[in-house]
Amino acid sequence: LTALVQLSICALRVSKNGARVAVEKAFVSLPITSEFMTSGAQAWSKLVPWSKEGEQSVKTALALVLKSSASFHPLLASLMAMLAKNDKYKELLASDTVAVGGAKGSGLRHILAMCQAPDVSLDALVALCNAMQGCEVHDMTHIIVDRLLDQIQDDRSPPAVRLYAIQVLRAMSANGDKMAEQLLLGSSSPSVYTDVAAPVAGVPATAGKDMAGKDMAQQRQYKAMIGTLRTLLLLKSPSFPAPLSAVEVG
């Protein structure tokens, strides 16, 4: 089934549009064309640029796609990558309107599950990268970071998959210091960007000020370290492709 070059779901049609680009050359999903059947003219129209009728077709299709792993296919993962690259469709992937079983963000969870599956992981990782670009830290962030780190550290993961997972983390680190902090320390550590030290019982006020001063100095040093981490993640390395700002992402 993964060799199919065209799939139709409800009023959507997704077709392969060329060979896959070598992983060492570009961070892109499988090239596809995506269309929907218009209701009036009964003709095929492109999903991008966004249209209200196209969005309705996507909603209907996603309600089926997100129900099971039977939808784990390179063409559908590439469709997710294309949708996540468009601001309107990206919102739809994480909205309640396509949630399955009452779980908000089902689209993002489905993409993350695709990242762990053979045959679709490369396209799904591009989709995940597109979905996370420009996002702030949210409830799914720590799950995504943990899954990606596990994938990178797993010797059974193919080199291409591990490379793409690294590229996703590099893209996420560009979203800000708070996101880079999640990558460095994980979700279980308190954040210096949100946590405020509470008064300690039995400690004199003057001592509290001294402690606060030391804490502030440590936080400044810590934030500088986070900034350095972001810089290092975004630098070009001989072992990996160019930073995502300079490499084609699709």
Side-chain angles (χ1 to χ4, degrees):
L1 290 178
T2 57
L4 290 175
V5 296
Q6 187 177 91
L7 286 175
S8 295
I9 302 175
C10 300
L12 287 189
R13 182 171 68 185
V14 186
S15 308
K16 184 179 178 182
N17 188 29
R20 183 183 297 280
V21 179
V23 295
E24 68 273 11
K25 291 184 177 179
F27 181 73
V28 293
S29 58
L30 187 70
I32 61 167
T33 56
S34 52
E35 304 164 298
F36 68 96
M37 177 68 76
T38 57
S39 55
Q42 290 294 301
W44 292 101
S45 182
K46 292 188 179 300
L47 272 178
V48 178
W50 175 90
S51 67
K52 190 171 183 180
E53 190 175 359
E55 180 178 310
Q56 187 56 50
S57 297
V58 170
K59 283 182 182 179
T60 304
L62 286 181
L64 293 177
V65 168
L66 301 182
K67 282 186 175 181
S68 77
S69 60
S71 63
F72 285 10
H73 191 281
L75 290 177
L76 294 179
S78 298
L79 174 65
M80 295 281 196
M82 187 216 69
L83 294 175
K85 202 172 181 180
N86 181 281
D87 289 340
K88 294 267 190 182
Y89 290 129
K90 182 190 288 191
E91 292 177 8
L92 182 62
L93 281 174
S95 71
D96 288 322
T97 54
V98 294
V100 176
K104 186 177 180 181
S106 293
L108 195 55
R109 291 180 183 275
H110 195 79
I111 291 172
L112 186 57
M114 279 182 159
C115 292
Q116 317 295 315
D119 300 318
V120 299
S121 53
L122 293 179
D123 305 306
L125 284 164
V126 176
L128 181 62
C129 182
N130 291 344
M132 292 301 294
Q133 280 191 337
C135 291
E136 297 180 354
V137 174
H138 52 70
D139 293 343
M140 280 288 294
T141 302
H142 71 280
I143 300 174
I144 292 169
V145 171
D146 289 346
R147 294 275 184 88
L148 290 174
L149 290 175
D150 287 344
Q151 202 164 24
I152 292 166
Q153 295 165 6
D154 188 349
D155 292 336
R156 295 169 297 177
S157 296
V161 171
R162 297 165 79 176
L163 180 62
Y164 267 42
I166 289 171
Q167 290 286 54
V168 179
L169 289 178
R170 292 171 76 185
M172 290 174 63
S173 71
N175 290 345
D177 287 346
K178 190 174 179 182
M179 185 71 78
E181 181 188 43
Q182 290 277 308
L183 302 185
L184 180 65
L185 297 181
S187 59
S188 59
S189 301
S191 172
V192 299
Y193 297 98
T194 56
D195 297 336
V196 178
V200 180
V203 177
T206 53
K209 289 180 180 179
D210 291 339
M211 290 171 61
K214 290 180 181 178
D215 286 343
M216 289 296 292
Q218 289 176 348
Q219 286 185 15
R220 282 194 296 270
Q221 191 175 29
Y222 175 74
K223 289 180 180 181
M225 180 179 68
I226 294 294
T228 302
L229 170 70
R230 286 184 60 205
T231 303
L232 290 173
L233 284 169
L234 295 172
L235 284 176
K236 182 175 181 179
S237 166
S239 304
F240 304 119
L244 287 173
S245 57
V247 80
E248 183 184 0
V249 178

